[in-house]
Amino acid sequence: MAASALTAAVVFLLFYGGVLGFPAGQFTRDEPACGYKSCPATKPSMLNVHLVPHTHDDVGWLKTVDQYYYGDRNDIQHAGVQYILDSVVQQLQEDPARRFIYVETAFFYRWWKQQSAKTRQVVTNLVNEGRLEFINGGWCMSDEATTHYSAVIDQMTLGLRFLNDTFGACGRPRVAWHIDPFGHAREHASIFAQMGYDGFFFGRLDYQDKMRRMKEKDMEMLWRASESLKPPAADLFTGVLPNGYNPPEGFCWDQLCSDAPIRDDPDLEDYNVDEIVKKFLNAANEQATLYRTNHIIMTMGSDFQYENANLWYKNMDKLIRYVNARQSKGSKVNVLYSTPSCYLQELHRANLTWSVKTDDFFPYADDAHDFWTGYFTSRPALKRYERLSNSLLQVCNQLEVLGGSESRRGPHGEGDSDTLKRAMAVAQHHDAVSGTEKQHVANDYAKRLSIGSAHCQVLVSNALSKLSGSDAPRVYCENLNISVCPLTESNSEFSVTVYNPLSRSVSWSVRLPLNGTRYSVTDPSGREVDSQVVPVSQATRDIRKDRGYAVNELVFQAQAPPLGFSTYSVSQLKHQPPPASPKPGVPLYLQNKFLKVTFDPDTGLLSSLSNLETKQTVQLKQSFFWYNASVGNLESSQASGAYIFRPNSSTPVPVSLKAKTQTVQNSVVQEVWQQFGPWVSQVVRLYQDSRNLELEWTVGPIPVGDYVGKEVITRLDTNIDSSGFFYTDSNGREVLERRRDFRPTWVLKQTEPIAGNYYPFNSRIYIKDKEQQLTVVTDRSQGGSSIQDGSLEIMLHRRLLMDDFRGVGEPLSEPGEYAKGLVVRGRLLLALTPPAAAADTHRPLAEELVLQPLLSLQAKDMRPNAILEFSGLQAALPPAVHLLTVSQWDRDSVLLRLEHQFEAKESHTHSQPVTVNLQKLFSTLEVVGMSEMSLAANQWKDEMTRMDWKGNTGEKPLKRGTGDPSVWEVTLNPMEIRTFLLRMHRR
């Protein structure tokens, strides 16, 4: 290390004094015998069967999270989590050999709050003895296809911090456990590895992949989850569970099951011990043929089981006793209560060499015509609302730090970030943002986000008041996408504060609904800003109905400094002529100094896109289609539903072959309004200084009067020679290569040529050849593919009339606000670049869409001495660096995450190490102490140890680099995230 040990110690002591919420239990010499130390003895010469008692408790699905916790609405599903925890804790006390694992911290947190001191002590003892073990430990078990990595990290941090604060080191999970998500993302595995997990187990993978792995005894592997991070930083031992997450057939002893109990009274006529033991030994030996060691795992539990834990434990006690009794007669099977971490420890002790996987586990199919690729797009409005809520939460977190304690209690009331943190954490659940819940549960998720957002808006208002010196009330217009904002519609003068959560300056297009015809807009320095007024389109008026009455929109470009705000003043000019009406007909082209886009005069559709800087042009035709949803056929009864995408034909139906067009052009923006029919429209938009083309699409209500469900796509057809390849991101971070009708780890038998080629993407999808790359950046998680060379298709919206028989029990037919079907509006940003320079464009562009500026409006004039511009940073960070997290940890400390947002080798300019000085980071805060943490902030980085695993690639783990230049300077390598707790003083 370049910095001296003495300096590091001083920094640590400065930081540690008086700060709460640290990784507990790691400074005590006499740690309890939890974790790996608490594992039961096994028998080396026998087949050891690890019985893992568990429950899988969805944080919302068929019932809301509240209904699941309390056991309400059992007419929908019998499930009550509070009773599960009550019963398990009672039964664990009956026998010290018994074990139980628990996963969903959202439920445990709620249960813990309601317990007496006596019960809490009992539970703490169980945890300290390793008899109750937390596995995974996030607030929920997140979805892996439709979640953004920043929100996943946040929800894991929330859950793990509670466990750490409550139980210390014994509360820290060692194993990641995603038994139910419908496919598995490489970025998730990378995140788990960086959080310090030793292994990862899941239940679902493609049926063809599973058959191959079972045949080749390749059910457990080493997952190399990053092409940029040096091994073993993102290496994660990964195991596929044999029965999903259910018990072997015939061994479910929950009150929800109907399997025979063990009847062990020999005087009874239906005594069945010998039968049960024989059946179990057969199951164990059969399972052992699929795995490589003399240890196998059996998941003894399932959805919301153990409400009456006595049934399970009484029968498992007998099973263990009677199976092990056969050892005296020569049996070589040893059964024991265990946990995933104890099973993992035995695999590690085996010291084998494991196969190495470098791709991911998408898409997932459980039969030939049953591809779980529909949920990549299901409930697109909820997916967008979750993304917007994530952006607001990061703004809220940042301003809580920058505004200090007055942000939580100030002139606008009491606000907090915790409510939205918990709502966002729940929304990451694999039946939440995935869109696979019942409608009333989706409504509940949205309601929670709305309540959390309201709490954050109070905090933001207080913080901005503190930083600007203006206490005037602030308004947040959440329906700007349909031109609704009562304040701007009814006031001739107002101010707009643009807060930028990024660590670099941004230029953002502001659009505000109003009723005047001309306005003056001035920036924080009093300079006039070019602004234009355009009419509100008929398509927008049709959507908003009576929720707003603005006839025009004010459009201007706002600049905002890094981690800061700029305030613009808007004043109506009287007696001005109305804006020019849209010009009917098809324009030849739209053009600024960077891009040119042409249109087909006969159809009104796009015909080409040119990058004027690089002198590149691609043919580009873009339109809208739908797939008719299958309701089942002779080949398979499988229908399209919330989870499953199954079109009844590989040929989509065009919404229209032509678009009716109108054009708006001025000095700020050029727009072509395209109407494809009564339920599909689009605005092709080119801002004056933009290097990307915006497509703002509007779809819905999808008509189903013909009793046929529909899955709506937009398709971009180009002359790019993509040769069957396309590319999608993994949870918004690293990009994976996809190949049509191909899987990297087995020979694919393609049975669904459309659905079987769909992949999730969270921020970007692209195609390329040697010369050109067309990248599409999206504003929410979606599903997409390249079905033909040179083509990209993106699923935008789905409305289905059949359930797909995966448990949700209702068709995906969202009613929308007026009960006629949901209308969805969204944006796609198109960039045409040489492949070598593409990341320099799409990385910051995606970052801007994920963490977009927050607009707040004030009707009253700002005070003359109000601060109109502020930056929380001393200077913008380098382009490769993303300020991922700035969040108040406790009174004097702040959680900081710095991220290198470029992959290795994807940018000549930015795929290089970059160094940041933490003491020169903030403008109003002084960093006086620091300590580096694991990614989840529940371990000190220098004390984080993980199991080493050997992969069959022959590579040896690389040692950590030479370190940072000094104790305050932090070097980031491509795709690296570094996490710090900072002790702060206000300057």
Side-chain angles (χ1 to χ4, degrees):
M1 297 288 287
S4 70
L6 176 61
T7 306
V10 170
V11 171
F12 175 80
L13 289 171
L14 276 170
F15 174 60
Y16 184 61
V19 180
L20 303 174
F22 289 130
Q26 297 192 33
F27 303 105
T28 57
R29 294 183 179 178
D30 299 321
E31 288 187 355
C34 57
Y36 298 123
K37 297 177 183 178
S38 66
C39 291
T42 59
K43 297 187 176 183
S45 60
M46 294 191 177
L47 173 63
N48 293 275
V49 183
H50 295 248
L51 301 184
V52 177
H54 81 105
T55 179
H56 175 60
D57 297 344
D58 289 303
V59 186
W61 179 38
L62 309 182
K63 307 198 293 189
T64 68
V65 61
D66 291 350
Q67 291 166 349
Y68 271 133
Y69 177 76
Y70 282 106
D72 197 5
R73 292 302 308 272
N74 280 342
D75 57 311
I76 298 175
Q77 181 186 12
H78 186 98
V81 174
Q82 61 172 334
Y83 308 121
I84 293 171
L85 290 167
D86 289 342
S87 185
V88 164
V89 168
Q90 180 184 2
Q91 286 300 312
L92 288 177
Q93 297 174 69
E94 299 292 321
D95 184 345
R98 292 175 175 177
R99 297 286 188 273
F100 195 79
I101 63 167
Y102 200 72
V103 176
E104 294 85 8
T105 304
F107 283 131
F108 188 86
Y109 162 82
R110 182 178 295 199
W111 180 83
W112 179 261
K113 287 196 305 178
Q114 298 177 338
Q115 302 311 304
S116 65
K118 180 180 179 182
T119 300
R120 289 186 176 191
Q121 187 57 55
V122 167
V123 172
T124 301
N125 292 340
L126 292 171
V127 172
N128 288 343
E129 294 167 7
R131 293 155 63 191
L132 173 60
E133 183 173 328
F134 295 101
I135 297 293
N136 209 68
W139 206 247
C140 70
M141 186 185 296
S142 58
D143 181 57
E144 297 192 46
T146 63
T147 46
H148 191 266
Y149 72 96
S150 60
V152 172
I153 292 170
D154 281 351
Q155 77 88 6
M156 291 298 297
T157 301
L158 184 65
L160 292 171
R161 182 178 184 183
F162 169 76
L163 296 177
N164 191 70
D165 288 350
T166 307
F167 301 107
C170 288
R172 178 170 66 84
R174 272 71 171 175
V175 172
W177 182 258
H178 269 211
I179 54 178
D180 196 25
F182 331 119
H184 304 282
R186 195 176 73 178
E187 191 60 36
H188 262 72
S190 177
I191 287 171
F192 289 144
Q194 294 174 69
M195 287 181 171
Y197 288 91
D198 287 320
F200 176 41
F201 294 98
F202 63 73
R204 299 183 187 270
L205 83 165
D206 187 278
Y207 75 105
Q208 292 184 40
D209 193 8
K210 187 172 184 178
M211 288 170 61
R212 195 275 299 174
R213 290 184 180 278
M214 291 168 65
K215 183 178 180 181
E216 299 177 11
K217 299 182 75 165
D218 194 23
M219 296 284 277
E220 292 161 332
M221 71 212 79
L222 182 62
W223 197 350
R224 182 148 293 155
S226 173
E227 294 181 7
S228 295
L229 299 176
K230 295 178 180 178
D235 288 0
L236 189 65
F237 182 87
T238 300
V240 181
L241 297 170
N243 301 302
Y245 55 91
N246 299 309
E249 186 177 350
F251 297 92
C252 183
W253 290 304
D254 194 77
Q255 64 184 18
L256 301 173
C257 299
S258 56
D259 291 343
I262 297 179
R263 301 184 291 263
D264 56 346
D265 184 344
D267 294 333
L268 294 179
E269 187 175 324
D270 51 1
Y271 174 84
N272 67 352
V273 170
D274 295 337
E275 176 190 344
I276 293 284
V277 168
K278 180 181 178 182
K279 187 175 183 179
F280 184 84
L281 290 173
N282 288 339
N285 286 315
E286 184 177 333
Q287 183 179 324
T289 64
L290 311 177
Y291 292 82
R292 296 180 59 200
T293 75
N294 63 322
H295 293 267
I296 61 172
I297 186 172
M298 290 185 178
T299 46
M300 306 303 282
S302 193
D303 292 354
F304 297 99
Q305 295 195 358
Y306 285 79
E307 199 170 301
N308 183 351
N310 180 49
L311 298 177
W312 265 112
Y313 283 113
K314 194 162 193 171
N315 283 281
M316 285 190 292
D317 287 347
K318 293 179 180 181
L319 180 71
I320 293 170
R321 183 165 71 250
Y322 291 125
V323 171
N324 289 348
R326 294 292 180 94
Q327 294 170 12
S328 62
K329 299 179 181 178
S331 170
K332 293 294 184 181
V333 175
N334 181 52
V335 191
L336 62 150
Y337 281 118
S338 189
T339 66
S341 56
C342 293
Y343 172 66
L344 183 71
Q345 180 173 240
E346 296 296 341
L347 298 182
H348 187 252
R349 286 173 174 169
N351 197 30
L352 300 180
T353 298
W354 304 91
S355 65
V356 176
K357 182 178 178 65
T358 58
D359 59 314
D360 64 2
F361 290 94
F362 287 118
Y364 162 59
D366 55 10
D367 209 339
H369 301 283
D370 308 8
F371 280 86
W372 298 48
T373 54
Y375 79 98
F376 301 161
T377 295
S378 294
R379 301 195 187 278
L382 180 63
K383 283 177 165 63
R384 177 60 180 153
Y385 191 37
E386 180 273 338
R387 186 68 58 87
L388 286 169
S389 299
N390 183 40
S391 182
L392 174 59
L393 176 58
Q394 305 316 315
V395 170
C396 188
N397 287 338
Q398 293 174 7
L399 283 171
E400 187 174 12
V401 172
L402 297 174
S405 59
E406 293 173 49
S407 62
R408 293 182 290 277
R409 180 175 295 181
H412 304 286
E414 294 189 13
D416 68 85
S417 58
D418 291 342
T419 307
L420 186 53
K421 282 177 184 172
R422 289 192 290 266
M424 271 296 298
V426 166
Q428 304 316 303
H429 170 59
H430 57 269
D431 285 307
V433 67
S434 60
T436 54
E437 63 282 293
K438 283 185 178 290
Q439 183 63 50
H440 78 104
V441 181
N443 296 342
D444 184 70
Y445 289 132
K447 181 180 178 181
R448 289 172 183 277
L449 293 173
S450 176
I451 293 170
S453 296
H455 284 238
C456 262
Q457 286 170 358
V458 174
L459 186 152
V460 168
S461 293
N462 287 335
L464 290 176
S465 292
K466 171 75 182 301
L467 296 171
S468 70
S470 171
D471 291 346
R474 292 180 183 270
V475 172
Y476 303 87
C477 291
E478 297 176 287
N479 290 312
L480 288 176
N481 66 330
I482 55 169
S483 299
V484 174
C485 180
L487 186 145
T488 60
E489 292 173 44
S490 57
N491 285 275
S492 58
E493 292 187 5
F494 54 89
S495 64
V496 186
T497 297
V498 182
Y499 179 85
N500 168 28
L502 298 180
S503 56
R504 55 182 171 81
S505 298
V506 297
S507 177
W508 188 257
S509 303
V510 176
R511 302 180 71 95
L512 300 172
L514 31 71
N515 287 295
T517 58
R518 186 114 182 244
Y519 289 78
S520 169
V521 180
T522 56
D523 69 11
S525 302
R527 290 189 295 265
E528 186 84 15
V529 175
D530 188 12
S531 64
Q532 295 290 335
V533 172
V534 298
V536 174
S537 70
Q538 188 60 49
T540 296
R541 295 186 189 205
D542 291 344
I543 296 170
R544 78 180 181 197
K545 300 188 185 303
D546 58 356
R547 286 174 284 180
Y549 60 92
V551 296
N552 296 320
E553 282 188 322
L554 175 68
V555 187
F556 66 94
Q557 206 72 15
Q559 318 293 324
L563 215 69
F565 63 81
S566 296
T567 299
Y568 289 77
S569 297
V570 180
S571 300
Q572 184 178 350
L573 302 178
K574 303 293 185 182
H575 311 299
Q576 299 293 318
S581 298
K583 183 180 178 181
V586 182
L588 292 176
Y589 61 87
L590 304 180
Q591 182 176 336
N592 64 13
K593 57 189 173 184
F594 303 116
L595 295 178
K596 180 179 181 180
V597 55
T598 64
F599 294 83
D600 185 320
D602 296 324
T603 63
L605 304 181
L606 288 171
S607 59
S608 75
L609 176 64
S610 299
N611 183 328
L612 302 179
E613 291 182 291
T614 59
K615 297 181 172 54
Q616 294 174 288
T617 297
V618 292
Q619 298 171 18
L620 173 61
K621 180 182 178 182
Q622 182 256 348
S623 193
F624 296 86
F625 304 81
W626 78 79
Y627 291 105
N628 283 321
S630 176
V631 295
N633 57 18
L634 294 176
E635 203 170 25
S636 167
S637 61
Q638 181 61 58
S640 235
Y643 300 91
I644 307 292
F645 170 36
R646 189 183 181 213
N648 70 3
S649 168
S650 296
T651 304
V653 181
V655 172
S656 176
L657 298 175
K658 296 182 178 182
K660 295 179 181 179
T661 60
Q662 295 176 290
T663 306
V664 172
Q665 291 182 291
N666 56 53
S667 59
V668 176
V669 68
Q670 304 169 63
E671 298 181 346
V672 174
W673 300 353
Q674 298 174 314
Q675 190 73 39
F676 292 85
W679 56 280
V680 177
S681 64
Q682 180 173 262
V683 178
V684 180
R685 186 174 286 135
L686 182 62
Y687 287 102
Q688 189 58 35
D689 295 317
S690 178
R691 284 180 165 87
N692 59 81
L693 182 68
E694 178 179 316
L695 305 179
E696 185 183 67
W697 52 270
T698 304
V699 176
I702 298 174
V704 288
D706 56 358
Y707 303 103
V708 177
K710 297 174 181 63
E711 329 221 20
V712 182
I713 65 167
T714 186
R715 195 175 74 198
L716 300 97
D717 297 319
T718 76
N719 59 338
I720 292 174
D721 184 13
S722 56
S723 303
F725 292 92
F726 59 107
Y727 302 81
T728 62
D729 64 25
S730 180
N731 298 124
R733 277 202 100 213
E734 295 196 38
V735 174
L736 278 75
E737 180 183 86
R738 310 299 191 183
R739 184 174 163 192
R740 191 165 55 248
D741 297 331
F742 177 80
R743 302 292 186 267
T745 49
W746 80 92
V747 178
L748 174 69
K749 180 183 178 182
Q750 184 61 276
T751 50
E752 285 287 333
I754 306 300
N757 281 307
Y758 259 63
Y759 290 85
F761 64 100
N762 308 91
S763 289
R764 79 215 79 203
I765 183 172
Y766 60 81
I767 50 173
K768 66 179 182 178
D769 56 25
K770 292 181 179 179
E771 305 295 331
Q772 302 178 115
Q773 177 170 320
L774 180 68
T775 306
V776 181
V777 176
T778 185
D779 63 353
R780 73 200 73 194
S781 294
Q782 293 172 314
S785 188
S786 176
I787 301 299
Q788 301 291 334
D789 287 353
S791 177
L792 279 175
E793 68 178 60
I794 299 167
M795 188 179 290
L796 304 175
H797 195 1
R798 320 176 68 219
R799 190 179 186 186
L800 306 167
L801 305 180
M802 294 278 288
D803 179 45
D804 54 11
F805 309 110
R806 292 306 184 277
V808 76
E810 67 181 32
L812 181 69
S813 181
E814 298 177 90
E817 188 143 351
Y818 299 97
K820 294 182 179 179
L822 181 69
V823 181
V824 185
R825 174 169 283 179
R827 291 193 298 157
L828 303 173
L829 304 181
L830 274 56
L832 175 65
T833 57
D840 297 338
T841 298
H842 70 68
R843 287 286 174 191
L845 194 58
E847 184 189 63
E848 277 184 34
L849 270 189
V850 171
L851 291 182
Q852 65 183 47
L854 177 68
L855 305 185
S856 62
L857 299 111
Q858 293 174 294
K860 295 182 179 179
D861 290 337
M862 301 286 285
R863 293 178 182 173
N865 59 349
I867 297 170
L868 301 182
E869 193 161 55
F870 165 84
S871 175
L873 299 183
Q874 293 186 31
L877 295 182
V881 178
H882 175 42
L883 201 55
L884 180 60
T885 304
V886 178
S887 181
Q888 199 73 38
W889 188 258
D890 57 29
R891 191 185 66 179
D892 297 314
S893 57
V894 169
L895 182 66
L896 174 78
R897 288 190 182 96
L898 294 170
E899 172 191 5
H900 196 306
Q901 65 168 332
F902 283 82
E903 292 185 49
K905 303 178 182 178
E906 77 175 354
S907 168
H908 295 308
T909 306
H910 300 307
S911 294
Q912 307 293 333
V914 61
T915 299
V916 176
N917 190 315
L918 297 184
Q919 281 195 313
K920 296 179 180 179
L921 192 60
F922 297 104
S923 61
T924 59
L925 301 168
E926 182 182 5
V927 179
V928 297
M930 58 168 280
S931 190
E932 186 163 9
M933 317 297 293
S934 65
L935 180 58
N938 67 335
Q939 301 175 73
W940 303 116
K941 184 64 177 287
D942 59 3
E943 294 186 6
M944 188 176 89
T945 58
R946 299 176 61 225
M947 291 177 173
D948 291 325
W949 301 88
K950 291 188 294 186
N952 62 4
T953 57
E955 298 175 357
K956 292 184 179 180
L958 298 173
K959 294 182 179 180
R960 192 178 173 88
T962 56
D964 299 319
S966 73
V967 72
W968 297 112
E969 291 178 300
V970 175
T971 297
L972 296 163
N973 293 302
M975 278 290 122
E976 186 175 17
I977 301 174
R978 296 184 65 178
T979 305
F980 301 89
L981 277 178
L982 307 179
R983 186 173 174 84
M984 314 286 276
H985 286 167
R986 299 203 169 269
R987 294 185 189 274

